[in-house]
Amino acid sequence: MLHPNSRYYRIATATFTTADGRQIGYLRRRLLPAGAAMPLLAEVEVTGGDRLDLIADRAFGDPEQFWRICDANDALNPFDLTAEIGRLLRVAVPTFEG
């Protein structure tokens, strides 16, 4: 099963039945929240050598929570967020909604 820190932890599962009767389980789609609507915890300026896992570790105490920073900045590609030194990243207050 999925780890509680996973962005998919609270996503429901579904089953698809093929024409020959096989059942295939899958996770339903995770809809991304609107980053600007998420409550702001802090803004962090990207410095040389920064990575999202390092920023997440400083902000949340857990490097695997980098996806929360992606969500808060409407980013589909996490590497885009640290590509520009000096960029301000939104760090949203963690929620338990996935």
Coordinates of all heavy atoms in Angstrom, one line a residue:
M1 N 0.8 -1.2 0.0 CA 0.0 0.0 0.0 C 0.9 1.2 0.0 O 2.1 1.2 0.2 CB -0.9 0.0 1.2 CG -2.2 0.7 1.0 SD -3.1 0.0 -0.4 CE -4.1 1.4 -0.8
L2 N 0.3 2.4 -0.1 CA 1.0 3.6 -0.2 C 1.4 4.2 1.2 O 0.6 4.0 2.1 CB 0.2 4.7 -1.0 CG -0.2 4.3 -2.4 CD1 -1.2 5.2 -2.9 CD2 1.1 4.4 -3.2
H3 N 2.6 4.8 1.2 CA 3.1 5.4 2.5 C 2.2 6.6 2.8 O 1.8 7.3 1.9 CB 4.5 5.7 2.3 CG 5.2 6.1 3.5 ND1 5.1 7.3 4.1 CD2 6.0 5.4 4.4 CE1 5.8 7.4 5.2 NE2 6.4 6.2 5.4
P4 N 2.0 6.9 4.1 CA 1.2 8.0 4.4 C 1.8 9.4 4.0 O 1.0 10.3 3.8 CB 1.2 8.0 6.0 CG 1.4 6.5 6.3 CD 2.3 6.0 5.2
N5 N 3.0 9.5 3.7 CA 3.6 10.7 3.2 C 3.4 10.9 1.7 O 3.8 11.9 1.1 CB 5.1 10.7 3.5 CG 5.4 11.1 4.9 OD1 4.6 11.5 5.6 ND2 6.7 10.9 5.3
S6 N 2.9 9.9 1.0 CA 2.7 9.9 -0.4 C 1.6 10.9 -0.8 O 0.6 11.0 -0.1 CB 2.4 8.5 -1.0 OG 2.0 8.6 -2.3
R7 N 1.8 11.6 -1.9 CA 0.8 12.4 -2.4 C -0.5 11.7 -2.9 O -1.5 12.2 -3.1 CB 1.3 13.3 -3.6 CG 1.5 12.6 -4.9 CD 2.2 13.4 -5.9 NE 3.6 13.2 -5.8 CZ 4.5 13.9 -6.4 NH1 4.1 14.8 -7.3 NH2 5.7 13.7 -6.3
Y8 N -0.3 10.4 -3.0 CA -1.4 9.5 -3.5 C -2.1 8.7 -2.4 O -3.0 8.0 -2.6 CB -0.9 8.5 -4.6 CG -0.3 9.2 -5.7 CD1 1.1 9.2 -5.9 CD2 -1.1 10.0 -6.6 CE1 1.7 9.9 -7.0 CE2 -0.5 10.6 -7.7 CZ 0.9 10.6 -7.8 OH 1.5 11.3 -8.9
Y9 N -1.7 8.9 -1.1 CA -2.1 8.1 0.0 C -3.6 8.2 0.1 O -4.3 7.1 0.4 CB -1.4 8.6 1.3 CG -1.8 7.8 2.5 CD1 -1.5 6.5 2.6 CD2 -2.6 8.4 3.5 CE1 -1.8 5.8 3.7 CE2 -2.9 7.7 4.6 CZ -2.5 6.4 4.7 OH -2.9 5.6 5.8
R10 N -4.3 9.3 0.0 CA -5.7 9.4 0.2 C -6.5 9.3 -1.1 O -7.7 9.5 -1.1 CB -6.0 10.7 0.9 CG -5.4 10.8 2.3 CD -6.0 12.0 3.1 NE -5.3 12.2 4.3 CZ -5.3 11.5 5.4 NH1 -5.9 10.3 5.4 NH2 -4.6 11.8 6.4
I11 N -5.9 8.9 -2.2 CA -6.6 8.8 -3.4 C -7.3 7.5 -3.5 O -6.7 6.4 -3.2 CB -5.6 9.0 -4.6 CG1 -4.9 10.3 -4.6 CG2 -6.3 8.8 -6.0 CD1 -5.8 11.5 -4.6
A12 N -8.5 7.5 -3.9 CA -9.3 6.2 -3.9 C -8.8 5.3 -5.0 O -8.3 5.8 -6.0 CB -10.8 6.6 -4.2
T13 N -9.1 4.1 -4.9 CA -8.8 3.1 -5.9 C -10.1 2.7 -6.7 O -11.2 3.0 -6.2 CB -8.2 1.8 -5.3 OG1 -9.1 1.3 -4.4 CG2 -6.9 2.1 -4.6
A14 N -9.9 2.2 -7.9 CA -11.0 1.8 -8.7 C -10.6 0.5 -9.4 O -9.4 0.1 -9.4 CB -11.4 2.9 -9.7
T15 N -11.5 -0.1 -10.0 CA -11.3 -1.3 -10.8 C -11.8 -1.2 -12.2 O -13.0 -0.8 -12.4 CB -12.0 -2.5 -10.1 OG1 -11.5 -2.6 -8.7 CG2 -11.6 -3.8 -10.8
F16 N -11.0 -1.6 -13.1 CA -11.5 -1.7 -14.5 C -11.6 -3.1 -14.9 O -10.7 -3.9 -14.7 CB -10.4 -1.0 -15.4 CG -10.7 -1.1 -16.9 CD1 -11.7 -0.3 -17.5 CD2 -10.0 -2.0 -17.7 CE1 -12.0 -0.5 -18.8 CE2 -10.3 -2.1 -19.0 CZ -11.2 -1.4 -19.6
T17 N -12.7 -3.5 -15.5 CA -12.9 -4.8 -16.0 C -12.8 -4.9 -17.5 O -13.5 -4.2 -18.2 CB -14.3 -5.3 -15.6 OG1 -14.5 -5.2 -14.1 CG2 -14.5 -6.8 -16.0
T18 N -11.8 -5.7 -17.9 CA -11.6 -5.8 -19.4 C -12.7 -6.6 -20.0 O -13.5 -7.3 -19.4 CB -10.2 -6.5 -19.6 OG1 -10.3 -7.8 -19.1 CG2 -9.1 -5.7 -19.0
A19 N -12.7 -6.7 -21.4 CA -13.7 -7.4 -22.1 C -13.7 -8.9 -21.8 O -14.7 -9.6 -21.8 CB -13.5 -7.2 -23.6
D20 N -12.5 -9.4 -21.4 CA -12.4 -10.9 -21.1 C -12.6 -11.1 -19.6 O -12.5 -12.3 -19.2 CB -11.1 -11.5 -21.6 CG -9.9 -10.9 -20.9 OD1 -10.1 -10.0 -20.0 OD2 -8.8 -11.3 -21.2
G21 N -13.1 -10.1 -18.9 CA -13.4 -10.3 -17.5 C -12.3 -10.1 -16.5 O -12.5 -10.2 -15.3
R22 N -11.1 -9.8 -16.9 CA -10.0 -9.5 -16.0 C -10.3 -8.2 -15.3 O -10.8 -7.3 -15.9 CB -8.7 -9.5 -16.7 CG -8.1 -10.8 -17.1 CD -6.7 -10.7 -17.8 NE -6.8 -9.8 -18.9 CZ -5.9 -8.8 -19.2 NH1 -4.9 -8.6 -18.4 NH2 -6.1 -8.0 -20.2
Q23 N -9.9 -8.1 -14.0 CA -10.0 -6.9 -13.3 C -8.7 -6.3 -13.0 O -7.8 -7.0 -12.5 CB -10.8 -7.2 -12.0 CG -12.2 -7.5 -12.2 CD -13.0 -7.5 -10.9 OE1 -12.5 -7.7 -9.9 NE2 -14.3 -7.3 -11.1
I24 N -8.6 -5.0 -13.3 CA -7.3 -4.3 -13.1 C -7.6 -3.2 -12.1 O -8.4 -2.3 -12.4 CB -6.8 -3.7 -14.5 CG1 -6.6 -4.9 -15.4 CG2 -5.5 -3.0 -14.3 CD1 -6.3 -4.4 -16.9
G25 N -6.8 -3.2 -11.0 CA -7.0 -2.1 -10.0 C -6.1 -0.9 -10.4 O -5.0 -1.1 -10.9
Y26 N -6.5 0.3 -10.1 CA -5.7 1.5 -10.3 C -6.2 2.6 -9.4 O -7.2 2.5 -8.7 CB -5.9 1.9 -11.8 CG -7.3 2.4 -12.2 CD1 -7.6 3.7 -12.1 CD2 -8.3 1.5 -12.6 CE1 -8.9 4.2 -12.5 CE2 -9.6 1.9 -12.9 CZ -9.9 3.2 -12.8 OH -11.1 3.7 -13.2
L27 N -5.3 3.6 -9.3 CA -5.6 4.8 -8.5 C -6.4 5.7 -9.3 O -6.1 5.9 -10.5 CB -4.3 5.4 -8.0 CG -3.5 4.7 -6.9 CD1 -2.3 5.5 -6.6 CD2 -4.4 4.6 -5.6
R28 N -7.4 6.3 -8.7 CA -8.1 7.4 -9.4 C -7.2 8.6 -9.6 O -6.2 8.7 -9.0 CB -9.4 7.8 -8.7 CG -10.4 6.7 -8.6 CD -11.7 7.3 -8.2 NE -12.7 6.2 -8.2 CZ -13.5 5.9 -9.2 NH1 -13.3 6.6 -10.4 NH2 -14.4 5.0 -9.1
R29 N -7.6 9.5 -10.5 CA -6.8 10.6 -10.8 C -6.7 11.6 -9.6 O -7.6 11.8 -8.9 CB -7.4 11.4 -12.0 CG -6.5 12.4 -12.6 CD -7.1 12.8 -13.9 NE -7.8 14.0 -13.7 CZ -8.4 14.6 -14.7 NH1 -8.6 14.1 -15.8 NH2 -9.0 15.8 -14.4
R30 N -5.5 12.1 -9.4 CA -5.3 13.1 -8.4 C -5.4 14.5 -9.0 O -4.6 14.8 -9.9 CB -3.9 12.9 -7.7 CG -3.6 14.0 -6.7 CD -2.2 13.8 -6.1 NE -1.9 14.8 -5.2 CZ -1.1 15.9 -5.4 NH1 -0.6 16.1 -6.6 NH2 -0.9 16.8 -4.5
L31 N -6.3 15.3 -8.6 CA -6.5 16.6 -9.1 C -5.6 17.5 -8.3 O -5.5 17.5 -7.1 CB -7.9 17.0 -9.0 CG -8.9 16.2 -9.7 CD1 -10.4 16.6 -9.5 CD2 -8.6 16.2 -11.2
L32 N -4.8 18.4 -9.0 CA -3.9 19.3 -8.4 C -4.7 20.5 -7.8 O -5.5 21.0 -8.5 CB -2.9 19.8 -9.4 CG -2.0 18.7 -10.0 CD1 -1.0 19.3 -11.0 CD2 -1.2 18.0 -8.9
P33 N -4.3 20.9 -6.6 CA -4.9 22.1 -6.1 C -4.4 23.3 -6.8 O -3.3 23.3 -7.4 CB -4.4 22.0 -4.6 CG -3.2 21.3 -4.6 CD -3.3 20.3 -5.8
A34 N -5.1 24.4 -6.7 CA -4.6 25.7 -7.2 C -3.6 26.2 -6.2 O -3.9 26.5 -5.0 CB -5.7 26.7 -7.4
G35 N -2.3 26.4 -6.6 CA -1.3 26.8 -5.7 C -1.5 28.1 -5.1 O -1.2 28.3 -3.9
A36 N -2.0 29.1 -5.8 CA -2.2 30.4 -5.2 C -3.3 30.4 -4.1 O -3.3 31.3 -3.3 CB -2.6 31.4 -6.3
A37 N -4.2 29.4 -4.1 CA -5.2 29.3 -3.1 C -4.8 28.6 -1.9 O -5.5 28.6 -0.9 CB -6.4 28.6 -3.7
M38 N -3.6 28.0 -1.9 CA -3.1 27.3 -0.7 C -2.6 28.3 0.3 O -1.9 29.2 -0.1 CB -2.0 26.3 -1.2 CG -2.5 25.2 -2.1 SD -1.2 24.2 -2.8 CE -1.0 23.1 -1.4
P39 N -2.9 28.1 1.6 CA -2.3 29.0 2.6 C -0.8 29.0 2.6 O -0.2 27.9 2.6 CB -2.9 28.4 3.9 CG -3.9 27.4 3.6 CD -3.7 27.0 2.1
L40 N -0.2 30.2 2.6 CA 1.2 30.3 2.6 C 1.9 30.1 3.9 O 1.5 30.8 4.9 CB 1.5 31.7 2.0 CG 3.0 32.0 1.7 CD1 3.5 31.1 0.6 CD2 3.2 33.4 1.3
L41 N 2.9 29.2 4.0 CA 3.7 29.1 5.2 C 4.9 30.0 5.1 O 5.2 30.7 6.0 CB 4.1 27.6 5.3 CG 5.1 27.2 6.4 CD1 4.4 27.4 7.7 CD2 5.6 25.8 6.2
A42 N 5.5 30.0 3.9 CA 6.7 30.8 3.7 C 7.0 31.0 2.2 O 6.5 30.2 1.4 CB 7.9 30.2 4.4
E43 N 7.9 31.9 1.9 CA 8.4 32.0 0.6 C 9.9 31.8 0.7 O 10.5 32.3 1.6 CB 8.2 33.4 -0.1 CG 6.8 33.5 -0.6 CD 6.6 34.8 -1.4 OE1 7.2 35.8 -1.0 OE2 5.9 34.7 -2.4
V44 N 10.5 31.0 -0.2 CA 11.9 30.6 -0.1 C 12.5 31.0 -1.4 O 12.0 30.7 -2.5 CB 12.0 29.1 0.1 CG1 13.5 28.7 0.1 CG2 11.3 28.6 1.4
E45 N 13.7 31.7 -1.3 CA 14.5 32.1 -2.4 C 15.4 31.0 -2.8 O 16.2 30.4 -2.0 CB 15.3 33.4 -2.2 CG 16.0 33.9 -3.4 CD 16.7 35.2 -3.1 OE1 16.4 35.9 -2.1 OE2 17.5 35.6 -4.0
V46 N 15.4 30.6 -4.1 CA 16.3 29.5 -4.6 C 17.7 30.1 -4.6 O 18.0 31.1 -5.2 CB 15.8 29.0 -6.0 CG1 16.8 28.0 -6.5 CG2 14.4 28.5 -5.9
T47 N 18.6 29.3 -4.0 CA 20.1 29.7 -4.1 C 20.8 28.6 -4.9 O 20.3 27.5 -5.2 CB 20.6 29.8 -2.7 OG1 20.5 28.5 -2.0 CG2 19.9 30.8 -1.8
G48 N 22.1 28.9 -5.2 CA 22.9 27.9 -5.9 C 23.0 26.6 -5.2 O 23.2 26.5 -4.0
G49 N 22.8 25.5 -5.9 CA 22.8 24.2 -5.3 C 21.6 23.7 -4.7 O 21.5 22.6 -4.1
D50 N 20.5 24.6 -4.6 CA 19.3 24.1 -4.0 C 18.6 23.1 -4.8 O 18.7 23.0 -6.0 CB 18.3 25.3 -3.9 CG 18.2 25.9 -2.5 OD1 18.7 25.2 -1.5 OD2 17.7 27.0 -2.3
R51 N 18.0 22.2 -4.1 CA 17.1 21.1 -4.7 C 15.8 21.1 -3.9 O 15.8 21.5 -2.7 CB 17.8 19.8 -4.6 CG 19.1 19.6 -5.3 CD 19.6 18.2 -5.4 NE 19.3 17.4 -4.2 CZ 20.1 16.8 -3.4 NH1 21.4 17.0 -3.6 NH2 19.7 16.1 -2.3
L52 N 14.8 20.6 -4.5 CA 13.5 20.6 -3.8 C 13.5 19.8 -2.6 O 12.8 20.1 -1.6 CB 12.3 20.2 -4.8 CG 11.8 21.3 -5.7 CD1 10.6 20.7 -6.5 CD2 11.5 22.5 -5.0
D53 N 14.2 18.6 -2.6 CA 14.2 17.8 -1.5 C 14.9 18.5 -0.3 O 14.5 18.4 0.9 CB 14.9 16.4 -1.7 CG 16.3 16.5 -2.2 OD1 16.7 17.5 -2.8 OD2 17.1 15.6 -2.0
L54 N 15.9 19.3 -0.6 CA 16.6 20.1 0.5 C 15.7 21.1 1.1 O 15.6 21.4 2.3 CB 17.9 20.7 0.0 CG 19.0 19.7 -0.5 CD1 20.1 20.4 -1.2 CD2 19.4 18.8 0.6
I55 N 15.0 21.8 0.2 CA 14.1 22.9 0.6 C 12.9 22.2 1.4 O 12.5 22.8 2.5 CB 13.5 23.6 -0.6 CG1 14.6 24.4 -1.3 CG2 12.4 24.6 -0.2 CD1 14.3 25.0 -2.7
A56 N 12.4 21.1 1.0 CA 11.3 20.4 1.7 C 11.8 20.0 3.1 O 11.1 20.0 4.1 CB 10.8 19.2 0.9
D57 N 13.0 19.5 3.1 CA 13.6 19.1 4.4 C 13.7 20.2 5.4 O 13.3 20.1 6.6 CB 14.9 18.4 4.2 CG 15.4 17.8 5.5 OD1 14.7 17.0 6.1 OD2 16.6 18.0 5.9
R58 N 14.1 21.4 4.9 CA 14.2 22.6 5.8 C 12.8 23.1 6.2 O 12.5 23.5 7.3 CB 14.9 23.7 5.1 CG 16.4 23.5 4.9 CD 17.2 24.7 4.5 NE 16.7 25.3 3.3 CZ 17.3 25.1 2.0 NH1 18.3 24.2 1.9 NH2 16.8 25.7 1.0
A59 N 11.8 23.0 5.3 CA 10.5 23.5 5.5 C 9.6 22.6 6.4 O 8.9 23.0 7.2 CB 9.8 23.8 4.2
F60 N 9.7 21.3 6.0 CA 8.8 20.3 6.6 C 9.5 19.2 7.5 O 8.8 18.4 8.1 CB 8.0 19.5 5.5 CG 7.3 20.5 4.6 CD1 7.5 20.4 3.2 CD2 6.3 21.3 5.0 CE1 6.9 21.2 2.3 CE2 5.6 22.2 4.1 CZ 5.9 22.1 2.8
G61 N 10.8 19.2 7.4 CA 11.5 18.1 8.1 C 11.5 16.8 7.4 O 11.8 15.8 8.0
D62 N 11.1 16.8 6.2 CA 11.0 15.6 5.4 C 11.2 15.8 3.9 O 10.4 16.5 3.3 CB 9.6 15.0 5.6 CG 9.4 13.6 4.9 OD1 10.3 13.2 4.2 OD2 8.3 13.1 5.1
P63 N 12.4 15.4 3.4 CA 12.7 15.7 2.0 C 11.7 15.1 1.0 O 11.6 15.5 -0.1 CB 14.1 15.1 1.8 CG 14.2 14.1 2.9 CD 13.4 14.5 4.0
E64 N 11.0 14.0 1.4 CA 10.0 13.4 0.5 C 8.7 14.2 0.3 O 7.9 13.8 -0.5 CB 9.7 12.0 1.0 CG 10.9 11.1 0.8 CD 10.6 9.6 1.2 OE1 9.4 9.3 1.5 OE2 11.5 8.8 1.2
Q65 N 8.6 15.3 1.0 CA 7.5 16.2 0.9 C 7.7 17.3 -0.2 O 6.9 18.2 -0.3 CB 7.1 16.8 2.2 CG 6.7 15.8 3.3 CD 5.5 15.0 2.9 OE1 4.4 15.6 2.7 NE2 5.6 13.7 2.8
F66 N 8.7 17.1 -1.0 CA 9.0 18.1 -2.1 C 7.7 18.3 -3.0 O 7.6 19.4 -3.5 CB 10.1 17.6 -3.0 CG 9.8 16.4 -3.9 CD1 9.3 16.7 -5.1 CD2 9.9 15.1 -3.4 CE1 8.9 15.6 -6.0 CE2 9.5 14.1 -4.2 CZ 9.0 14.3 -5.5
W67 N 6.9 17.3 -3.1 CA 5.7 17.5 -4.0 C 4.8 18.6 -3.5 O 4.0 19.2 -4.2 CB 5.0 16.1 -4.1 CG 4.5 15.5 -2.8 CD1 5.2 14.6 -2.1 CD2 3.3 15.7 -2.2 NE1 4.5 14.3 -1.0 CE2 3.3 14.9 -1.0 CE3 2.1 16.5 -2.5 CZ2 2.2 14.9 -0.1 CZ3 1.1 16.4 -1.6 CH2 1.1 15.6 -0.5
R68 N 4.8 18.8 -2.2 CA 4.0 19.9 -1.6 C 4.4 21.3 -2.2 O 3.6 22.1 -2.4 CB 4.0 19.9 -0.1 CG 3.4 18.7 0.5 CD 3.3 18.8 2.0 NE 2.8 17.6 2.7 CZ 1.5 17.3 2.8 NH1 0.6 18.2 2.3 NH2 1.1 16.2 3.4
I69 N 5.7 21.4 -2.4 CA 6.2 22.7 -3.0 C 5.8 22.8 -4.4 O 5.5 23.8 -4.9 CB 7.7 22.8 -2.7 CG1 8.0 22.8 -1.2 CG2 8.3 24.0 -3.4 CD1 9.5 22.6 -0.9
C70 N 5.9 21.6 -5.1 CA 5.4 21.6 -6.5 C 3.9 22.0 -6.6 O 3.6 22.9 -7.4 CB 5.6 20.2 -7.1 SG 7.3 19.7 -7.3
D71 N 3.1 21.5 -5.7 CA 1.7 21.8 -5.7 C 1.5 23.3 -5.5 O 0.7 24.0 -6.2 CB 0.9 21.0 -4.7 CG 0.7 19.6 -5.1 OD1 1.0 19.2 -6.2 OD2 0.1 18.8 -4.2
A72 N 2.2 23.9 -4.5 CA 2.0 25.3 -4.2 C 2.5 26.2 -5.3 O 2.1 27.4 -5.3 CB 2.8 25.6 -2.9
N73 N 3.3 25.7 -6.2 CA 3.8 26.5 -7.3 C 3.3 26.1 -8.6 O 3.8 26.5 -9.7 CB 5.3 26.5 -7.3 CG 5.9 27.2 -6.1 OD1 6.0 28.4 -6.1 ND2 6.2 26.5 -5.0
D74 N 2.2 25.3 -8.6 CA 1.6 24.8 -9.9 C 2.6 24.2 -10.9 O 2.6 24.4 -12.1 CB 0.8 25.9 -10.6 CG -0.3 26.5 -9.7 OD1 -1.0 25.7 -9.0 OD2 -0.5 27.7 -9.7
A75 N 3.6 23.5 -10.3 CA 4.6 22.9 -11.2 C 4.4 21.4 -11.5 O 4.1 20.6 -10.6 CB 6.0 23.0 -10.4
L76 N 4.5 21.1 -12.7 CA 4.4 19.7 -13.1 C 5.8 19.1 -13.2 O 6.0 17.9 -13.0 CB 3.7 19.5 -14.4 CG 2.2 20.0 -14.4 CD1 1.6 19.8 -15.8 CD2 1.5 19.1 -13.4
N77 N 6.8 19.9 -13.5 CA 8.2 19.4 -13.5 C 9.0 20.0 -12.3 O 9.3 21.2 -12.3 CB 8.9 19.8 -14.8 CG 10.3 19.3 -15.0 OD1 10.9 18.8 -14.0 ND2 10.9 19.4 -16.1
P78 N 9.3 19.2 -11.3 CA 10.0 19.8 -10.1 C 11.3 20.5 -10.4 O 11.7 21.4 -9.7 CB 10.2 18.6 -9.2 CG 9.7 17.4 -10.0 CD 9.1 17.8 -11.2
F79 N 12.0 20.0 -11.4 CA 13.3 20.6 -11.7 C 13.2 22.0 -12.2 O 14.1 22.8 -12.1 CB 14.0 19.7 -12.8 CG 14.3 18.4 -12.2 CD1 13.6 17.3 -12.7 CD2 15.3 18.2 -11.3 CE1 13.8 16.0 -12.2 CE2 15.6 16.9 -10.8 CZ 14.8 15.8 -11.2
D80 N 12.1 22.4 -12.8 CA 11.9 23.8 -13.2 C 11.9 24.8 -12.1 O 12.3 25.9 -12.2 CB 10.5 24.0 -13.9 CG 10.5 23.3 -15.3 OD1 11.5 22.9 -15.8 OD2 9.4 23.1 -15.8
L81 N 11.5 24.3 -10.9 CA 11.4 25.2 -9.7 C 12.7 25.7 -9.2 O 12.8 26.8 -8.7 CB 10.6 24.6 -8.6 CG 9.1 24.3 -8.9 CD1 8.5 23.6 -7.7 CD2 8.4 25.6 -9.2
T82 N 13.8 24.9 -9.4 CA 15.1 25.3 -8.9 C 16.1 25.7 -10.0 O 17.3 25.9 -9.8 CB 15.7 24.2 -8.0 OG1 15.7 23.0 -8.8 CG2 14.9 24.0 -6.7
A83 N 15.6 25.8 -11.2 CA 16.4 26.1 -12.4 C 16.9 27.5 -12.4 O 18.0 27.8 -12.9 CB 15.7 25.8 -13.7
E84 N 16.2 28.4 -11.8 CA 16.5 29.9 -11.8 C 16.9 30.3 -10.4 O 16.0 30.4 -9.5 CB 15.4 30.7 -12.3 CG 15.6 32.2 -12.3 CD 14.3 32.9 -12.7 OE1 13.4 32.3 -13.3 OE2 14.3 34.1 -12.4
I85 N 18.2 30.7 -10.1 CA 18.6 31.2 -8.9 C 17.9 32.5 -8.6 O 17.8 33.4 -9.5 CB 20.1 31.3 -8.8 CG1 20.8 29.9 -8.9 CG2 20.6 32.1 -7.6 CD1 22.3 29.9 -9.0
G86 N 17.4 32.7 -7.4 CA 16.7 33.9 -7.0 C 15.2 33.8 -7.1 O 14.5 34.7 -6.6
R87 N 14.7 32.8 -7.7 CA 13.3 32.6 -7.8 C 12.7 32.4 -6.4 O 13.3 31.7 -5.6 CB 13.0 31.4 -8.7 CG 11.5 31.1 -8.8 CD 11.2 29.9 -9.6 NE 9.7 29.7 -9.7 CZ 9.1 28.9 -10.5 NH1 9.8 28.3 -11.4 NH2 7.8 28.8 -10.4
L88 N 11.5 33.0 -6.2 CA 10.8 32.8 -5.0 C 9.8 31.7 -5.1 O 9.0 31.7 -6.0 CB 10.1 34.1 -4.5 CG 10.9 35.2 -4.0 CD1 10.0 36.4 -3.7 CD2 11.7 34.8 -2.8
L89 N 9.9 30.7 -4.2 CA 9.0 29.6 -4.2 C 8.0 29.7 -3.1 O 8.4 30.0 -2.0 CB 9.8 28.3 -4.0 CG 10.8 27.9 -5.1 CD1 11.5 26.6 -4.8 CD2 10.1 27.8 -6.5
R90 N 6.8 29.4 -3.4 CA 5.8 29.3 -2.3 C 5.9 28.0 -1.6 O 6.1 27.0 -2.2 CB 4.4 29.4 -3.0 CG 4.0 30.7 -3.6 CD 2.6 30.7 -4.2 NE 1.6 30.0 -3.4 CZ 0.9 30.6 -2.4 NH1 1.1 31.9 -2.1 NH2 0.0 29.9 -1.7
V91 N 5.9 28.1 -0.3 CA 5.8 26.9 0.5 C 4.5 27.0 1.3 O 4.3 27.9 2.1 CB 7.0 26.7 1.5 CG1 6.9 25.5 2.4 CG2 8.3 26.7 0.7
A92 N 3.6 26.1 0.9 CA 2.2 26.1 1.5 C 2.2 25.4 2.9 O 3.0 24.5 3.1 CB 1.2 25.6 0.6
V93 N 1.2 25.8 3.7 CA 1.0 25.1 4.9 C 0.5 23.6 4.5 O -0.4 23.5 3.7 CB -0.2 25.8 5.7 CG1 -0.6 25.0 6.9 CG2 0.2 27.2 6.1
P94 N 1.2 22.6 5.1 CA 0.8 21.3 4.8 C -0.7 21.0 5.2 O -1.1 21.4 6.2 CB 1.7 20.4 5.6 CG 2.8 21.3 6.1 CD 2.3 22.7 6.1
T95 N -1.3 20.3 4.3 CA -2.7 19.8 4.6 C -2.7 18.3 4.5 O -1.7 17.7 4.0 CB -3.7 20.3 3.6 OG1 -3.4 19.8 2.3 CG2 -3.7 21.8 3.6
F96 N -3.7 17.7 5.0 CA -3.7 16.2 5.0 C -4.7 15.7 4.0 O -5.4 14.7 4.1 CB -4.1 15.7 6.4 CG -3.0 16.0 7.3 CD1 -3.1 17.1 8.2 CD2 -1.8 15.3 7.4 CE1 -2.1 17.5 9.0 CE2 -0.8 15.7 8.2 CZ -0.9 16.8 9.1
E97 N -4.9 16.4 2.9 CA -5.8 16.1 1.8 C -5.1 15.4 0.6 O -5.7 15.2 -0.4 CB -6.6 17.3 1.4 CG -7.1 18.0 2.6 CD -8.3 18.9 2.3 OE1 -8.8 18.8 1.1 OE2 -8.7 19.6 3.2
G98 N -3.9 15.1 0.8 CA -3.2 14.3 -0.3 C -2.3 15.2 -1.1 O -1.7 16.0 -1.0

